[in-house]
Amino acid sequence: MTRTAIITGGGRGIGAAIARRFTNDGMAVAVIDLDETGARETVAAIVSSGGRAIAITADVTDEQQVADAVTRTTAELGAPTVLVNNAGILRDNLLFKMTLDDWDSVMKVHLRGAFLMTRAVQSHMVEAKWGRVISLSSISALGNRGQANYAAVKAGLQGFTKTVAIELGPFGVTANAIAPGFIATDMTKATAERMGMDFDDFCDAVAKETPVRRVGEPDDIANVASFLVSDDASFVSGQVLYVAGGPTV
Ligand code: NAP
């Protein structure tokens, strides 16, 4: 049976790697992104290597766009029973300089987005008596200078995940969070730029501090997501898996 997955923010970075991996695993995938070009590129690469995928331009913070995206996925690929809440943004600043807009935009994309998407997809999972929800948390959930907004949402997603696991577990649905360390993507490139550092130097510095002596790649996260949505992981639920090249304190 072909399962249908929705990956938010799948136009690049970690989301694109998860979309590619899930299609290699045999799923049909809807790639949702704000950025139409990114979503189309991810899908074109998947389709050209024989996978089944569609690109949907939508903002995960918009209730109607979320509903429309799930309706379109269901019509074109089949009812979605796998969801990855991956769309994310950064608006870093020290607390005394953080604007209300910096705070609200980060709350909206990560928390409101995950809530709207999960609520819209859960009925398909409950009906199928099988489902998988993965949300992208972060090591920043443990606290990180300049990220009061981001740390709060990434910790919030852990509580959200555990609650979804409790509420939907009786229907064969698991919910887990992946909390990555430093992964080389446009998001971390933007952080290097903001700090006035060359990206390669930034990665070298992070690698030196990481027990496995390298930074993460998007596929490191896709590999873990692939396991968590598999049937082999049906007894793993409500967990937060830190994927950071070493232990986190
Ligand atoms: P990325 O390269 O910045 O990709 C994020 C994607 O999400 C972008 O394509 C972006 O579209 C999309 N997006 C943003 N807001 C959206 C919205 N409202 N609706 C739909 N799509 C939206 O980020 P990444 O590094 O791959 O990170 C993916 C996830 O992992 C995020 O949740 C991030 O917080 C988390 N994470 C990343 C790291 C890391 O080191 N990279 C570490 C821990 C956790 P636009 O291009 O249009 O903005």
Side-chain angles (χ1 to χ4, degrees):
M1 187 208 6
T2 304
R3 290 189 165 127
T4 298
I6 292 180
I7 323 290
T8 70
R12 61 175 196 230
I14 294 170
I18 294 174
R20 286 193 299 271
R21 176 59 190 255
F22 282 9
T23 49
N24 287 340
D25 290 344
M27 285 175 251
V29 167
V31 174
I32 295 182
D33 208 289
L34 260 187
D35 174 26
E36 187 177 353
T37 314
R40 280 184 195 283
E41 281 171 7
T42 302
V43 165
I46 288 170
V47 170
S48 71
S49 53
R52 201 160 154 237
I54 57 170
I56 300 179
T57 310
D59 181 346
V60 296
T61 70
D62 184 297
E63 188 176 22
Q64 191 57 52
Q65 290 184 35
V66 165
D68 292 346
V70 174
T71 303
R72 198 180 140 202
T73 302
T74 309
E76 295 185 28
L77 298 177
T81 54
V82 175
L83 169 66
V84 182
N85 291 311
N86 167 81
I89 59 167
L90 292 179
R91 294 287 182 272
D92 293 356
N93 225 329
L94 292 175
L95 183 61
F96 78 102
K97 289 195 272 189
M98 189 174 283
T99 66
L100 185 58
D101 188 55
D102 291 335
W103 178 267
D104 285 343
S105 350
V106 170
M107 293 297 134
K108 268 179 95 173
V109 176
H110 297 263
L111 285 179
R112 179 184 163 112
F115 160 67
L116 288 175
M117 285 302 313
T118 309
R119 193 185 60 174
V121 170
Q122 56 80 32
S123 61
H124 294 294
M125 300 181 178
V126 169
E127 195 175 323
K129 300 235 173 335
W130 190 94
R132 298 284 186 265
V133 181
I134 294 179
S135 298
L136 270 292
S137 178
S138 166
I139 53 168
S140 296
L142 302 168
N144 198 25
R145 185 179 159 82
Q147 291 195 315
N149 50 2
Y150 187 76
V153 295
K154 291 310 195 186
L157 281 169
Q158 297 188 6
F160 177 73
T161 293
K162 289 169 196 285
T163 303
V164 172
I166 291 167
E167 290 188 15
L168 299 187
F171 303 97
V173 178
T174 68
N176 292 287
I178 301 175
F182 185 105
I183 309 296
T185 67
D186 287 351
M187 187 177 267
T188 38
K189 265 184 206 142
T191 303
E193 228 167 74
R194 216 171 24 251
M195 293 168 71
M197 276 183 87
D198 172 74
F199 188 56
D200 290 336
D201 294 343
F202 190 40
C203 288
D204 287 346
V206 173
K208 278 200 188 88
E209 300 297 318
T210 305
V212 300
R213 295 291 185 267
R214 69 172 178 88
V215 297
E217 297 297 332
D219 281 342
D220 290 312
I221 305 305
N223 293 338
V224 174
S226 172
F227 167 67
L228 288 174
V229 303
S230 71
D231 284 323
D232 286 343
S234 61
F235 206 54
V236 182
S237 195
Q239 300 305 303
V240 179
L241 187 49
Y242 285 87
V243 182
T248 43
V249 274

